[in-house]
Every structure is written in C-alpha cells, then in structure tokens.
Amino acid sequence: MDSPVMSCAFSPDGNSFAVGLENCDITVYSASNWEITHLLKGHSSAPLSVVYSPDGNTICSGSSDKTVRLWIMMESEVHQHILTDHTDEVRCVAYSPLGSQVASGGCDKTIRLWDPKTGDCCQILSGHEGTVCGVVYSPHGDQIASGSADCRVRLWSIATGECSHILVGHSDEVRGIIFSPQGDQVASASKDKTIRLWDVEAGSCHHILEGHNSGVTSVVYSPKGTHVLSGSSDATVRIWDVQSGNCRRKMTGHFWDVYCVAFSPKGGMAASASRDKSARLWDVSAGGSRRISSRHSQWVLDVRCSPKGNLIASCSADFTIRLWHVETGECLRTLHGHSDYACSLEFSSQGDQIGSGGHDSTVRLWDVDTGTCQHVLTGHTDRIWSMAFSPRGDHVASASWDKTVRIWNRKTGEHCGTLNGHTDGVIGVMYSPDGSLIATGSNDATIKLWDSGTMACISTLIGHCECVHDVAFSPRGGQLASSSADGTVRLWSMTTRECQLILTGHEHPVFCVAYSYKGDILASVSGDKTVRVWSVASGQCRAVIKNFQGGVYSMGWIPSADGYYLVTGCEDGSVLKWQVIEEEKEGQCRVKLCWGATKGCLTVKGASVQDVRGLTSLNKKLLKQRGVVGEPENLFREAGKKLITMASVVSRMRQVSERVVADSPSTTNIPHEQPQQQASSRLKRQVL
C-alpha cells in the first residue's frame, strides 16, 4: 500500500475487507484472493474509522473532514450518502445490530445517532469532556458504549439518551471500545498502555491487561468472546485470554503504530492496519502473518521480462505471480492459483502467455492480458524448478525434482513427451535459439543436451562438482552458460562441447545466469547476496551489485535499445530494476538502481545536502551514502509548498529501521527489512 493505513474492517460474512488510507481513499479487497474490488473516493481527509453494515452491503466511514459517509455497494457501482452535522473531525463510527441506526463520535465531544435511510441526525449524546475516540452498540442494540480523551468510558441508554454508567480507571485517553458478544462486558483500550475489562451491569473493572509498551489504539473481542485482540503504538498485536487476563500471544511484523485490529467472523484470522502502510492477516492459532500489499511477502524465486520489454513477471514463496510495469515498477496484476510456492516462470516467445511451475507439482499457463489461468498441467510428481518455451512458441518444457523434463503443447495443454536420463532432480531447462536443442541442469552435477525432435540425449557436459542450478544459451546459440552450487559459472562451446571459461568470484551457490540481449555480457546471481556482471569474451568481472539483505535467486535482462537493463528477485521479497552502464576506461561497468518494489525501502532522489539547514555531519554522511549528491533540479523555496525535507527523511530512516550500512561501497546500497526467514546458502532445494 502506498499510504499509511488508518482503519480496517471485515465484512460480516468475511468475504471482503476494507481499509481506510491516509490518502483519503478506502480500498476494499476480496478476502478470497486479496484483489481490490472497490476503490472508494470522496473524503477530503483521512477516513479514521470504517465499519460494515450488518448485511454487508454498506460501508460507513468517519473522517477528519468532519463527515460521515455511507457507501452503498452495488454490483456495478457505488452510491454514497454524506452526513455533515459534526463540527470537527469524526473519529469513530458504528452500526446498530439491525442496521437501522449509525452512531458517530468525534472531536466536537458529541456522539450523534443517524438514520441511514434518510441521513437525518436523530439524537445527540453529550457529556464527554474530550474527543470521543470510540463508540460501539451493545449486541442487543439497547446501549452504546463510548470512550473519550477525557479518560472516561460512558454507557448510554438508546431509548432515553441518558448516561447510565461512567467507568473511571484509565489515566489517559480511551482510544478503543467494544462490547463482548454476550453484551455483559466492555473492553476499553487506552493511551495509558492498558486494556480494561468492565462488567456492564455493575460498572466495575475486573481485569487490567498490561503488556504493551506504548498506548493501546484498538481492541476487539473474538466471535465467541473468549479472547481479546489489541493493537498498539508499540507496533505489536496481542491476544489476551478474557477469563484469566493473561496475554496468550504477542504478534510482531509491523514496524510502526498499529491503528486498528479486527477478527474475521469465524475467529480463525485476525487483521491489523498500521502506519507502516500495511495491513496484515494473522493466523490466530499460529501467530504467523502475511502482508496485504502489491509487493511479494516472501522470497522471490524467479523473475522474467516479457519479449517486448514492457512487463516484468515475478513468482514467490507467497504462492503468487505478479506482473510489473517495467518503467514505473507498478504492480499491474497478481495471479493466484498455485497452492504452494510458485518456483519458476517464463514468458512465451510472443509474450502473450506465462508458464509457471510450483511446489504443488503443477504447471500453469496464464493469459498475460487477462490474468486468467488457461491450463493446469499435471503429471510431475515433485516440485517444478524451471520453465522454458520453445522459440516458435508451440511447446513449453518443465523441469522437475522428479528427475524428468516434460514437454507440453502450450495451446492444448497436452503432454507431448518426457526427457528421462538425469539421476537426480532437474533444476534448469532452456531451448536453444533455433529450437533444435534443449539443455538441462541437474542436482546430479551434469548438464545434458537433448534433441528437441526425438527427445533423445545427445551429449552430457561434465565439469561442475555440485548441483547445476541454471543453464542459458547465448543469443546465437554458439555458447551455453551454466551456474552451480559450487559457486562457479561455466561457459561451454556448443561446437566442441568443451568448457571454455570458468568464472569465479561468488562465495556461495550461483542460482541463475543469463546473457544480455547482445550476448557480450553475462549476469549471475548468488546466495552470497551479490549480482555479478561478466565479460563473455574475457571472463572478467565488470561489476558487482552488493548489499542485498538476502540471497538473490533470480534475474533477467530487459530488452532495450538504449542500454543494458537488469531485473533481480531476492530472498527478502524485493524486485529491483537496474541499469548497467559501460565505462570507457578499464572495461568496467557502473550499475544504477532504477526502481525497487521492496518492503521498508526508502529512496532519495533529486535532493541536495547543500540546500538544507539543520543537519548534523552524521545526517549528511547518511544522506550521501544514499546517493544525495549535487544540486537539485528545482529548489522549492515557497513557504506554502511544504515538500518533504531532508530532516524528515533522516527521521524516516531512523523510524523504518536501524539498518544503516556503515560502509559505503561503490555499488548501490539496498535498505530492506530483515528477511522473515534465514535461508540456507547451500542449495536452492535446501532453501525451499
């Protein structure tokens, strides 16, 4: 997400999920595939609270723009009603159990009750001495509970509009309030770092839940009322046992304030929304989470560029394939279908189809324009590590850990034949440019060449001493490159079938290798967290890209008439585009980062240290390490144009992480979150 998340809510049936963003939008996702179904625009300021109507057909939102909006979700369009009687920010909204009434509270210290059909304000509840931060109906609809900046919780009778109880105990503002499903308890979340559980009838507090290290922003009961979920400014989510008051689980993953939490209707999943621009889904029993985002949430295992050079495709351990705009880095489409890691992919020669292989032992063929899965190809008995389309585009080959390569008709999905001969899993496969040969690399440390017509093995290349991860033909087919777990890249003559060059320098397994479209340079990626660019003629290493935060598993060259461009996929979930620039002197190359789809990445461009006041020498050094050099193209000195300042950039660097790299190599540094899991650097199969 490109904006901090201020609020979130599940629909009553659990089929959709809405988030309110600081950029004023409300985004609605399908909970089945987490694709965006609606983008609601209308607020002129951030929606601080969102809630679904009981029938799930309407979303109610309250905003800093002083309005309450009702979004009626039609099949093909959305209608909205605007409720405008508040005189200050609206902080919270709630639907009555039957959906016949809406309550809202805000900075004007009042609670307003609305008729959602007419939009009329029916009643105003007054009594709080500070901003009303939370409001909720009881399950029976006869009471309202409210929490305020005045540190009080109030219980109100709907029938009379009178305050029946004032619950005193918190020492700072009450930010969240919720009734238990049975209606006999109220939970309140406070800036004083605690959650209090109150008896509704007696008005007494029977549990104080302590553990958060900063203010508690949101609280919600599980559907059965046995647990409470809380989110805090300490960036954590906690699950509490209602009966004992003990914390059952502390869940980490956000790196900034958690503003809102929600249980799914069945209680098996929980959601949290954060200032870090992410919403996370949590498995309540296990505590693990995944991020709802345009970025991959797990390792990127393969990345490819379309033949036309306009798209980049990546596949990941998060089970998805994603399509990216090659110039902007925008995620255009997410393909869902694999039931396990998506390990490999390839574009057809025409660029109209993508083939993907997964840990689920299936091959899937996708239409690039629509994102629909056209064929699911079954037959392999183990994970599929590599894919290749024939140059004419009539066949697709899949290499599997079951020791075989299968050839498929890409239009019909029919199985055409099987290449048998390797004594261990096959990891790499590629057609020669003229389509006459198929090259395969295996965990048996050999490379085999096959006649694509007869499917017979015609040669075995021996030289690597460990697993061969990848094979690649040169553009004219006269040479073959192979990468291995032995840390080397080998270049083989297709005329003599002998090894011509051994490229050394990587310190860990080399996972992927590819020729540039001109065929004069070669790139390789490794578990040693580097990318190396080599001269094909001399074998000299011309450039090294360093400081990835995990092993680099995949890469590909981008077709371009104006230079060399490269895309990489990394263990930390990032997809990065690079420009490789040839230097005139000493045969070296310079590498520049063009864009990156990363988690927690901060990019500084077009700024100047010389034009900023108030920076310490350390701040200047940090900015220089991030490439802040020279004079800016435009100096915005108008007081009204409060663009982001260098001081705030430095502050943001500190808040995102403490991951500042002390040394400053000549190649681009890449700031990331730490990988969620530490991968083995031995073999790709051990990693996964």
Side-chain angles (χ1 to χ4, degrees):
M1 298 172 187
D2 297 325
S3 178
V5 184
M6 311 302 292
S7 52
C8 68
F10 273 103
S11 64
D13 59 8
N15 292 333
S16 67
F17 182 71
V19 295
L21 304 176
E22 191 181 59
N23 67 6
C24 308
D25 296 342
I26 298 169
T27 306
V28 183
Y29 294 87
S30 166
S32 61
N33 56 19
W34 297 105
E35 293 291 337
I36 295 175
T37 60
H38 294 90
L39 184 61
L40 310 182
K41 292 180 175 288
H43 282 298
S44 59
S45 192
L48 302 177
S49 180
V50 294
V51 65
Y52 279 86
S53 61
D55 62 9
N57 295 328
T58 303
I59 292 175
C60 178
S61 58
S63 168
S64 299
D65 64 10
K66 307 178 187 179
T67 69
V68 175
R69 292 177 187 249
L70 302 178
W71 310 84
I72 303 169
M73 319 290 286
M74 312 293 287
E75 186 171 339
S76 58
E77 57 184 342
V78 177
H79 297 292
Q80 64 169 306
H81 295 307
I82 306 174
L83 315 181
T84 59
D85 280 2
H86 278 289
T87 59
D88 209 329
E89 292 184 3
V90 180
R91 291 290 185 90
C92 51
V93 291
Y95 259 102
S96 65
L98 298 178
S100 58
Q101 197 174 69
V102 169
S104 60
C107 293
D108 60 9
K109 306 178 185 179
T110 68
I111 300 161
R112 294 175 183 263
L113 308 185
W114 310 83
D115 184 325
K117 292 183 178 180
T118 65
D120 295 333
C121 180
C122 309
Q123 198 169 7
I124 300 176
L125 309 182
S126 300
H128 280 298
E129 298 176 1
T131 296
V132 180
C133 303
V135 63
V136 65
Y137 283 86
S138 67
H140 302 297
D142 57 340
Q143 282 185 306
I144 285 178
S146 59
S148 170
D150 64 10
C151 310
R152 304 289 192 265
V153 174
R154 287 177 177 257
L155 302 181
W156 309 81
S157 167
I158 297 285
T160 64
E162 298 294 327
C163 178
S164 58
H165 285 292
I166 300 176
L167 311 182
V168 179
H170 285 296
S171 59
D172 210 328
E173 66 182 60
V174 180
R175 294 175 167 181
I177 192 80
I178 189 74
F179 272 98
S180 66
Q182 296 76 20
D184 58 339
Q185 282 185 1
V186 165
S188 57
S190 173
K191 193 177 178 181
D192 66 9
K193 309 178 187 179
T194 71
I195 301 110
R196 288 179 176 253
L197 305 184
W198 308 85
D199 183 283
V200 170
E201 186 174 349
S204 59
C205 176
H206 58 84
H207 275 309
I208 302 175
L209 312 183
E210 297 178 299
H212 282 295
N213 298 321
S214 190
V216 187
T217 56
S218 181
V219 64
V220 64
Y221 277 91
S222 64
K224 293 183 179 179
T226 55
H227 293 87
V228 164
L229 184 74
S230 61
S232 167
S233 296
D234 65 10
T236 69
V237 177
R238 290 175 181 256
I239 298 177
W240 310 81
D241 183 271
V242 169
Q243 186 172 0
S244 66
N246 295 329
C247 179
R248 293 301 188 190
R249 182 168 286 110
K250 173 184 175 182
M251 299 183 289
T252 59
H254 289 295
F255 62 85
W256 216 341
D257 300 30
V258 177
Y259 284 154
C260 182
V261 292
F263 267 110
S264 64
K266 293 183 179 180
M269 299 293 291
S272 57
S274 169
R275 181 73 178 172
D276 66 10
K277 302 184 181 181
S278 76
R280 286 185 177 269
L281 292 179
W282 306 87
D283 184 320
V284 172
S285 60
S289 75
R290 70 181 180 91
R291 177 174 174 164
I292 305 170
S293 170
S294 63
R295 303 170 180 88
H296 284 296
S297 59
Q298 296 288 339
W299 315 323
V300 177
L301 300 175
D302 204 359
V303 63
R304 290 290 185 268
C305 188
S306 65
K308 296 179 182 179
N310 61 327
L311 292 176
I312 290 169
S314 59
C315 65
S316 168
D318 64 10
F319 305 2
T320 68
I321 296 105
R322 295 174 190 262
L323 301 182
W324 312 82
H325 189 284
V326 75
E327 294 298 331
T328 65
E330 177 189 3
C331 182
L332 304 175
R333 183 171 287 115
T334 303
L335 311 182
H336 297 267
H338 285 291
S339 59
D340 208 330
Y341 293 179
C343 302
S344 57
L345 54 80
E346 188 60 85
F347 278 94
S348 65
S349 55
Q350 295 82 6
D352 60 337
Q353 197 174 53
I354 291 175
S356 64
H359 258 230
D360 57 10
S361 305
T362 68
V363 175
R364 290 177 177 261
L365 301 181
W366 308 83
D367 183 278
V368 171
D369 291 333
T370 65
T372 57
C373 182
Q374 299 170 312
H375 297 290
V376 180
L377 313 181
T378 59
H380 282 295
T381 58
D382 211 327
R383 69 201 71 173
I384 296 160
W385 280 124
S386 185
M387 305 282 301
F389 280 90
S390 63
R392 290 190 300 175
D394 51 347
H395 291 97
V396 61
S398 55
S400 170
W401 200 247
D402 65 10
K403 307 178 187 179
T404 71
V405 174
R406 286 180 172 254
I407 311 299
W408 315 84
N409 184 303
R410 79 138 177 149
K411 291 185 177 180
T412 66
E414 294 179 358
H415 175 229
C416 303
T418 303
L419 309 183
N420 290 291
H422 283 292
T423 59
D424 209 333
V426 187
I427 300 178
V429 61
M430 189 178 188
Y431 279 89
S432 63
D434 63 3
S436 62
L437 295 176
I438 297 174
T440 57
S442 168
N443 195 45
D444 63 14
T446 69
I447 300 157
K448 290 183 180 288
L449 300 177
W450 311 76
D451 185 294
S452 62
T454 65
M455 300 190 189
C457 180
I458 59 177
S459 187
T460 300
L461 311 182
I462 298 175
H464 287 294
C465 58
E466 291 191 55
C467 170
V468 179
H469 281 303
D470 196 20
V471 290
F473 279 99
S474 63
R476 295 185 178 181
Q479 195 175 65
L480 181 76
S482 58
S483 62
S484 169
D486 63 14
T488 69
V489 175
R490 288 179 177 249
L491 305 184
W492 308 81
S493 168
M494 288 295 94
T495 303
T496 65
R497 309 291 164 83
E498 298 291 333
C499 180
Q500 298 173 305
L501 285 172
I502 302 175
L503 312 182
T504 60
H506 284 296
E507 299 175 358
H508 288 285
V510 185
F511 291 131
C512 183
V513 64
Y515 287 89
S516 67
Y517 280 85
K518 293 181 180 179
D520 56 336
I521 59 177
L522 186 81
S524 58
V525 301
S526 170
D528 64 7
K529 306 179 184 179
T530 69
V531 177
R532 287 180 176 261
V533 180
W534 312 85
S535 166
V536 171
S538 66
Q540 177 189 8
C541 181
R542 301 185 63 184
V544 182
I545 308 175
K546 299 179 180 180
N547 296 328
F548 290 89
Q549 289 297 313
V552 189
Y553 288 157
S554 55
M555 53 78 58
W557 292 95
I558 301 171
S560 176
D562 61 349
Y564 299 96
Y565 292 88
L566 188 68
V567 62
T568 58
C570 182
E571 176 187 359
D572 65 356
S574 65
V575 176
L576 305 170
K577 179 187 174 183
W578 308 87
Q579 183 181 11
V580 180
I581 304 166
E582 292 190 283
E583 299 282 13
E584 295 181 0
K585 297 180 180 180
E586 301 178 356
Q588 295 299 301
C589 292
R590 179 165 53 90
V591 182
K592 182 176 73 173
L593 179 65
C594 300
W595 56 256
T598 65
K599 298 181 289 183
C601 178
L602 177 67
T603 303
V604 182
K605 295 182 180 180
S608 171
V609 172
Q610 290 88 340
D611 191 51
V612 180
R613 297 180 180 180
L615 292 182
T616 66
S617 59
L618 175 60
N619 289 343
K620 292 180 181 179
K621 182 179 179 181
L622 291 174
L623 291 172
K624 287 178 180 178
Q625 287 178 355
R626 293 301 187 271
V628 185
V629 293
E631 290 295 330
E633 295 179 3
N634 297 293
L635 299 179
F636 296 98
R637 299 183 181 277
E638 299 173 33
K641 295 182 177 180
K642 294 185 179 180
L643 301 181
I644 186 167
T645 65
M646 285 290 92
S648 65
V649 171
V650 173
S651 174
R652 178 75 176 99
M653 286 179 179
R654 291 171 175 167
Q655 291 171 339
V656 170
S657 69
E658 298 296 329
R659 299 178 296 278
V660 176
V661 181
D663 57 326
S664 181
S666 59
T667 49
T668 304
N669 291 342
I670 308 165
H672 292 276
E673 290 184 323
Q674 290 295 329
Q676 294 184 6
Q677 302 180 36
Q678 292 299 319
S680 164
S681 62
R682 190 61 183 159
L683 292 175
K684 193 172 182 179
R685 68 182 177 91
Q686 292 174 335
V687 171
L688 303 176

